[in-house]
Each structure stands twice: as C-alpha cells, then as structure tokens.
Amino acid sequence: MINMEAQKSFRFSFQFYHLLLILLLQSILSNSVLAIPHKIPRLTPHRETLTRRDPNKILSASAISDDFITLFYTQTIDHFNYGPQSYATFQQRYVINFKYWGGSNSPIFAYLGAEEQIDFDLQSIGFLSANARHFSALQVYIEHRYYGESIPFGTMEQAMNDISTRGYFNSAQAIADYAEVPLHSPQELKGYLESIYTAAAQYNAPPEYPVSMICSAIDGEPTGTDILGRIFAGVNSYKKSYPCYHINDYSYQSESSLGWTWQTCSEMVMPIGRSINTMFQPSHFNLDRFIQQCERTYGVTPRPHWVTTYYGGHDIKLILRRFASNIIFSNGLKDPYSSGGVLEDISESVLAVSTVNGSHCLDIHLPAQSDPSWLVEQRNKEVEIIDGWITKYYADLLVLKK
Ligand SMILES: *[C@@H]1O[C@H](CO)[C@@H](O)[C@H](O)[C@H]1NC(C)=O
C-alpha cells in the first residue's frame, strides 16, 4: 500500500516534471529564436583566434614571406548608386603573390576574404599557395570590406555605430568589390612600372643613380628568376623605404600630377610618344585621341598651337638669335626631355651648357658633397657666364651714362 502510494506519487511527480521540462525547453527555444543569437561559429574557414582586433597580433604580409606584397585598392563605397555620396572611396587591402605566376595567359587564384581581417588567411588558406606552382597561378587575397584594414569611415566601431555608414556593409557590395580589384591590376601594374622607369630615367641623379640601381637589382637576381621576380627586385630596390606598394592608389595623386594633367590638356600639349625601339610597348602620340581624352576629362579642347601663337618661336633658333640675350640653356643629356632642348650655342649670350651624364634640372639643385666633378664644373661654368653678363651690364651702364 505504502509502496503503491509512493509509486503513484513518484509517477505523478515524474509526469509533472516531465511537463515542466517540456514547457521549460519550449520556452528556452522560443526565447532563443526571438532574442538570443545562435552561438554557432561564423562561416570563416578557420577557427577564430582573435576576439578583438589587436594591432600587435596582426601579421604583416611580408612577415609571412617576402613573396606576399600588400597593396591597397581605392574602392568605391557604393557600386549601385550614382548619387554624389556614392562616389566616396575607401582603401581596400589585398595581397598578391606572383612568385609562380606564368604571366597573362596563366590563371589568377583569388581568395575572397571571409568575415575577418585577411592576415591569417595568408597562412591558413594553403590551397592557393600549395597549387600556385602547379598552375603557374597568380595568388590574390582580397580583404572583405569592413574588416581588418579595409574599413571605410574610420574604425569598425565608428563604421558600425552609424546607421548611415553601416548600410554599405552587405554582400552585394562586397562581391562587387572583389570583381573590381583583380580585373584592374595588370594594366595598373604596367602603368606603375612605366611611371617608375621613366621617373628613374628623368631623375637619374647622383649619388644613387636610380637607373643603375634598378638595373643592377634586376640583373642581380639569381639565374632562373622569372621576369616578374626580376621586375619586383627592381621596384623593391627603388622603393625600399616603403612598407607596401600603392600601385593603383589614385587617392595619393600628387598636386603636380593633377595640375600638370590640366596644363597639358589646355595650352601645353606635349607631343610625347614611344616608337618601337624602346623597352616600353610602342605608343605613338595621337593628337586626335589626346584631344578626345582631354575633352572627356575636363570638357576642354586643348590648343596645341596656342603657345607658339602667343609666345612665338616657330623657328626657335632664328627667334632666339634675333631677339634673345643672356640665356643659359642647361641640359643633362640623360634626361629624356633634353631631346627637345637647345643644345648648341645660339649667339654670344644665348648659350648651351650640357653634361653627358646629367639628369633633369640637376645643376639647379643644392650642391652636395657627393656631387661628381662634371656637375661641379657645370655649375661653375654657369656662374662664370652670369658673372660675365653682370660685368658687361655695369660696363654698358657706365658708357651710356657719360
Ligand atoms: C658618364 O658615365 C659613364 C658611365 O658611368 C662613364 O663611363 C663616363 O666616363 C661618364 N662621362 C662623363 C663625361 O662623365
């Protein structure tokens, strides 16, 4: 009897607790659906190692291997809108490795960053590096917007706390980012190299002599190094003080390059082209095409003949001989611009001074201890000529005052 009672009460209590448990579970489940986010891991391909961004723990690409180069792409905030605020840009980080790349006919392996900074992916996404050699592939790792160093609008906290800035954080924008980055780079890499090589030639000044520096770095690579490896060695020797290379970063255009583009598109048209016998791809100057480009950029039609109409100089030597005095045309013959310079004396006081190994505007720079003797001589010669002019000026003044 007692047993029966006990059993009953046990059964009752069991049923009661069973019911309670079901109610409780239901309540937890429904609560969690409504209010508490799931605590399942993120989608990212490896286990989360850092919970907060800690700059000290972020690995630089080059710390992993010299073959990884960090670059920044000036990315559009909003790919799907043409309102003025959508043209705003931010810096999107990507890392490339062209150690095994076979050139433009070989594939590009692109890793589209997950929901975190890209630093760890360089180590952990080994599928790309493990197979890059086999496929002669270029490896590109692109960081997802709003993570790591690709956060628009300041810090992650700032970007996320503002309803107007976090709205650009969505999958369609991120995918459009990825589409823009690798498609642009080959052309921009070419443009970047062109700008480096031409600047090195124009400003091939002592004591570094950038042309020799780049060429020795290219030639100094071990036998078997491919073209891109040699190109990189050259760039690295020239830009060695830079932690990374802003190949396609238009936000850092200098005042000079912005201003000069306008000046050459309006009155100072420079008919500079490249023939077939150079290290660059041939590109002849095409006035019609140039005019079209300027019209597109500025809505202005260049006036290629205005300079000579206004200042004169159709036959520059004749004009200088008849009307000019007290001018030194100084040139360094290694400067590509010297090919358009006045290289011979025109008259007694219109003189040409040139140096075989000089570069652009070298003689008007501040003298340095390391200056080669020919540069010192060039400057001395110029001072001597100017001394002569001033002596003659005072002599003329005395004669005319009598
Ligand atoms: C110019 O430089 C070359 C190569 O360094 C050298 O051989 C030559 O003597 C130099 N010429 C003059 C005039 O300084």
Side-chain angles (χ1 to χ4, degrees):
M1 190 67 196
I2 294 164
N3 272 352
M4 285 278 283
E5 282 301 308
Q7 256 184 359
K8 247 187 191 166
S9 118
F10 174 76
R11 190 173 297 139
F12 168 77
S13 64
F14 175 79
Q15 280 171 344
F16 175 78
Y17 282 113
H18 194 69
L19 187 70
L20 201 67
L21 196 68
I22 287 169
L23 284 173
L24 204 67
L25 262 175
Q26 269 181 347
S27 131
I28 288 171
L29 282 172
S30 59
N31 263 347
S32 77
V33 168
L34 288 175
I36 309 166
H38 292 291
K39 288 293 181 189
I40 60 170
R42 307 164 303 149
L43 275 168
T44 192
H46 45 82
R47 195 159 55 84
E48 191 168 16
T49 43
L50 287 182
T51 47
R52 289 188 70 79
R53 280 191 79 219
D54 177 353
N56 298 322
K57 289 190 184 162
I58 292 175
L59 305 155
S60 79
S62 60
I64 295 162
S65 155
D66 283 346
D67 302 321
F68 288 102
I69 307 169
T70 302
L71 301 161
F72 288 87
Y73 182 75
T74 300
Q75 188 61 268
T76 309
I77 291 280
D78 185 357
H79 298 280
F80 306 106
N81 191 310
Y82 296 91
Q85 73 280 11
S86 305
Y87 305 153
T89 55
F90 68 100
Q91 295 302 301
Q92 182 169 23
R93 179 165 55 150
Y94 66 106
V95 175
I96 64 171
N97 181 339
F98 49 72
K99 185 174 180 188
Y100 300 117
W101 197 35
S104 50
N105 290 327
S106 304
I108 296 173
F109 287 173
Y111 175 73
L112 313 183
E115 63 278 23
E116 65 172 358
Q117 67 207 43
I118 206 157
D119 305 80
F120 303 104
D121 298 328
L122 303 178
Q123 283 180 313
S124 65
I125 309 301
F127 189 82
L128 275 71
S129 41
N131 292 291
R133 186 201 291 267
H134 176 72
F135 288 99
S136 304
L138 175 72
Q139 302 166 61
V140 185
Y141 298 77
I142 314 168
E143 192 161 64
H144 192 296
R145 58 164 59 195
Y146 289 77
Y147 289 106
E149 291 183 24
S150 305
I151 300 171
F153 313 111
T155 65
M156 187 63 161
E157 286 75 15
Q158 286 165 336
M160 292 305 292
N161 287 340
D162 185 333
I163 50 167
S164 67
T165 59
R166 69 178 174 227
Y168 299 107
F169 190 175
N170 64 59
S171 60
Q173 298 283 8
I175 291 167
D177 290 343
Y178 295 140
E180 273 209 38
V181 176
L183 289 180
H184 279 221
S185 55
Q187 198 47 44
E188 281 164 348
L189 181 62
K190 256 159 83 174
Y192 178 73
L193 290 173
E194 208 175 285
S195 71
I196 283 194
Y197 295 153
T198 51
Q202 186 168 331
Y203 302 100
N204 189 33
E208 293 92 5
Y209 293 108
V211 171
S212 316
M213 204 165 72
I214 294 174
C215 292
S216 337
I218 290 172
D219 293 341
E221 284 294 289
T223 321
T225 309
D226 64 4
I227 290 176
L228 280 164
R230 289 181 188 277
I231 286 174
F232 179 63
V235 172
N236 200 31
S237 74
Y238 187 61
K239 295 255 175 183
K240 49 184 170 290
S241 55
Y242 291 65
C244 57
Y245 305 91
H246 293 247
I247 285 179
N248 50 21
D249 188 353
Y250 287 118
S251 66
Y252 292 102
Q253 270 203 333
S254 71
E255 228 173 59
S256 301
S257 59
L258 284 172
W260 186 238
T261 311
W262 160 255
Q263 288 186 280
T264 50
C265 263
S266 46
E267 57 176 2
M268 284 193 256
V269 176
M270 299 267 157
I272 298 174
R274 289 195 301 263
S275 65
I276 48 170
N277 293 322
T278 76
M279 62 185 272
F280 301 105
Q281 288 183 319
S283 166
H284 294 280
F285 182 76
N286 179 325
L287 185 60
D288 292 335
R289 209 173 52 203
F290 182 75
I291 288 174
Q292 281 167 19
Q293 278 168 5
C294 292
E295 283 173 345
R296 263 204 306 275
T297 311
Y298 296 111
V300 152
T301 305
R303 297 195 286 177
H305 303 294
W306 173 244
V307 165
T308 41
T309 302
Y310 186 69
Y311 294 107
H314 284 284
D315 186 340
I316 188 77
K317 283 187 186 172
L318 182 67
I319 298 295
L320 287 172
R321 194 180 175 90
R322 287 171 54 88
F323 299 106
S325 62
N326 296 2
I327 301 176
I328 298 170
F329 287 99
S330 99
N331 278 281
L333 300 184
K334 286 279 192 286
D335 173 13
Y337 274 110
S338 70
S339 61
V342 174
L343 303 175
E344 299 160 7
D345 292 349
I346 301 282
S347 69
E348 252 178 48
S349 77
V350 178
L351 302 167
V353 175
S354 60
T355 50
V356 175
N357 287 336
S359 55
H360 199 70
C361 297
L362 200 51
D363 52 339
I364 55 171
H365 288 188
L366 200 65
Q369 206 71 48
S370 55
D371 286 340
S373 56
W374 51 261
L375 178 55
V376 176
E377 281 161 27
Q378 183 186 23
R379 290 197 185 112
N380 289 345
K381 190 169 176 185
E382 288 164 4
V383 170
E384 204 178 294
I385 292 168
I386 296 166
D387 268 339
W389 294 341
I390 291 171
T391 309
K392 184 155 193 327
Y393 171 81
Y394 285 112
D396 286 348
L397 204 62
L398 275 178
V399 171
L400 293 170
K401 267 189 174 170
K402 270 182 191 161

